[in-house]
Amino acid sequence: MVSFNPHPLMQAALAEARVAAAAGEVPVGMVLAGPDGSILATAHNQVEAQRSPLAHAEMLCLQQALAHVGEKYLTGCTLAVTLEPCPMCMAALCHARVARVVFGAYDPKSGGTVNGPRVANFMHHQPEILGGIEEAACAALLTDFFKGLRG
């Protein structure tokens, strides 16, 4: 059995988060890989650009991946995101039947995966969840962004 290495996916998600930060968005980035490990979609937060609270990286990436595969489910896929998914995004990931959710920084205030309501516990599909991957790098990106906003 081949063991899963989440770090390359998280490095790609961090690259997307940096794009978000450069655009003035909260620096959250993600990638979604198919069962074979190929990247199906990448995205970063675009809440400000789209003027929509729905434009979280996860939601945008799910839409791209679903269009790419032409199916309504992402069975066997792995998602890597730099911040613990919020309740809205975690519910969408469960509905899309993503197999594994890998995240970097924990979000004790707004998380919906291992913090907050733990949405997956109430869904029919419950993905495997791995938190804290490249946590220091993911958290530093967020901390630096918000320090810059506060002056």
Side-chain angles (χ1 to χ4, degrees), residues 30 32-35 40-41 58-79 92-100 125 127:
M30 66 157 303
L32 194 134
L40 300 178
E58 296 92 335
M59 303 298 275
L60 299 173
C61 199
L62 282 175
Q63 289 174 331
Q64 287 178 34
L66 290 165
H68 179 79
V69 300
E71 301 288 336
K72 68 178 182 177
Y73 298 123
L74 296 168
T75 307
C77 293
T78 298
L79 172 139
L93 296 170
C94 291
H95 283 297
R97 298 187 186 171
V98 170
R100 181 184 292 129
H125 174 75

Side-chain angles (χ1 to χ4, degrees), residues 53-148:
L54 303 177
H56 288 198
E58 296 92 335
M59 303 298 275
L60 299 173
C61 199
L62 282 175
Q63 289 174 331
Q64 287 178 34
L66 290 165
H68 179 79
V69 300
E71 301 288 336
K72 68 178 182 177
Y73 298 123
L74 296 168
T75 307
C77 293
T78 298
L79 172 139
V81 62
T82 55
L83 181 64
E84 176 182 354
C86 73
M88 172 184 71
C89 292
M90 194 61 208
L93 296 170
C94 291
H95 283 297
R97 298 187 186 171
V98 170
R100 181 184 292 129
V101 174
V102 176
F103 69 87
Y106 289 85
D107 190 351
K109 201 175 201 182
S110 301
T113 306
V114 299
N115 287 294
R118 299 181 185 188
V119 171
N121 292 342
F122 304 98
M123 304 298 281
H124 292 292
H125 174 75
Q126 297 178 355
E128 175 186 358
I129 298 169
L130 299 169
I133 306 302
E134 303 286 344
E135 180 179 7
C138 294
L141 191 58
L142 288 157
T143 300
D144 291 348
F145 176 79
F146 286 111
K147 276 184 187 174

